């Protein structure tokens, strides 16, 4: 009976990021960080080793997501792993999710979220970009934890995320 929010388990974000997503009125909205490169450069030498494509048009419709980026120009923002499906659209969303098994011979229980979003886009379902400027971190490794701990000790973690916001 309510909107559905799906969050990756390896991200931590400010309440303001969640509130922005909650306020979105589109059937499907996904959070993407315009300042993603700052976080990636903190965590790795070459952001292109990990970053995925993300492109949206002038209406904020996502037109590409989740592919291996060959250049920074293919990345307008970075999907952070936070998505909202409006309750009024959930039945359609659920049906499409179930249909992907038949149409693409894909096990929907093991599909990447970005692949599913690309599938929605290909089916003509609008997916809106909910754009932010930082306010989150991703923890993929022990190295990430060490980097964030070091920033916290040096009182610089607030440059990336403020858990009180």
């Amino acid at each position: 009976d309510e909107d559905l929010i799906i969050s990756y388990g390896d991200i931590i974000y400010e309440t303001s990021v969640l509130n922005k997503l909650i306020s979105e009125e589109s059937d499907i909205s996904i959070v993407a960080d315009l300042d993603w490169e700052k976080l990636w450069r903190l965590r790795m030498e070459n952001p292109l080793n990990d970053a995925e494509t993300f492109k949206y048009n002038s209406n904020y419709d996502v037109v590409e997501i989740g592919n291996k980026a060959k250049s920074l120009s293919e990345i307008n923002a970075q999907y952070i792993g936070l998505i909202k499906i409006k309750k009024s659209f959930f039945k359609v969303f659920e049906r499409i999710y179930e249909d992907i098994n038949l149409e693409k011979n894909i096990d929907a229980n093991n599909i990447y979220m970005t692949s599913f979003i690309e599938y929605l886009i290909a089916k003509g379902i609008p997916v809106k970009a909910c754009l932010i400027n930082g306010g989150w971190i991703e923890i993929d490794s022990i190295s990430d934890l060490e980097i964030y701990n070091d920033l916290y000790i040096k009182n610089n973690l607030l440059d990336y995320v403020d858990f009180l916001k």
Side-chain angles (χ1 to χ4, degrees), residues 66-93:
N67 298 308
K68 178 72 177 147
K70 295 178 188 76
S71 71
L72 294 177
S73 65
E74 294 178 284
I75 309 168
N76 299 139
Q78 194 64 214
Y79 169 57
I80 76 165
L82 194 56
I83 182 171
K84 179 178 115 176
I85 296 97
K86 293 284 288 181
K87 68 180 176 182
S88 59
F89 189 75
F90 188 75
K91 292 285 187 203
V92 175
F93 183 84

Side-chain angles (χ1 to χ4, degrees), residues 31-145:
V31 178
D33 184 7
L34 293 166
D35 292 336
W36 68 274
E37 193 176 345
K38 177 182 174 185
L39 182 61
W40 259 245
R41 290 202 181 275
L42 173 70
R43 298 171 54 225
M44 58 200 69
E45 195 170 314
N46 181 359
L48 289 177
N49 288 341
D50 182 68
E52 298 176 333
T53 60
F54 188 95
K55 295 181 183 180
Y56 60 93
N57 63 24
S58 60
N59 293 322
Y60 301 99
D61 293 317
V62 178
V63 295
E64 182 180 338
I65 185 173
N67 298 308
K68 178 72 177 147
K70 295 178 188 76
S71 71
L72 294 177
S73 65
E74 294 178 284
I75 309 168
N76 299 139
Q78 194 64 214
Y79 169 57
I80 76 165
L82 194 56
I83 182 171
K84 179 178 115 176
I85 296 97
K86 293 284 288 181
K87 68 180 176 182
S88 59
F89 189 75
F90 188 75
K91 292 285 187 203
V92 175
F93 183 84
E94 189 176 39
R95 189 185 74 247
I96 294 169
Y97 180 77
E98 291 167 357
D99 288 350
I100 197 170
N101 287 322
L102 303 171
E103 228 175 275
K104 294 285 187 180
N105 197 24
I106 294 173
D107 179 3
N109 293 319
N110 290 314
I111 190 171
Y112 288 109
M113 181 58 81
T114 53
S115 297
F116 185 64
I117 293 168
E118 283 242 309
Y119 178 76
L120 291 170
I121 294 166
K123 297 290 275 176
I125 306 293
V127 176
K128 294 289 184 182
C130 173
L131 302 175
I132 60 169
N133 295 95
W136 73 290
I137 55 175
E138 178 178 35
I139 305 166
D140 281 341
S141 65
I142 296 295
S143 173
D144 286 343
L145 281 174

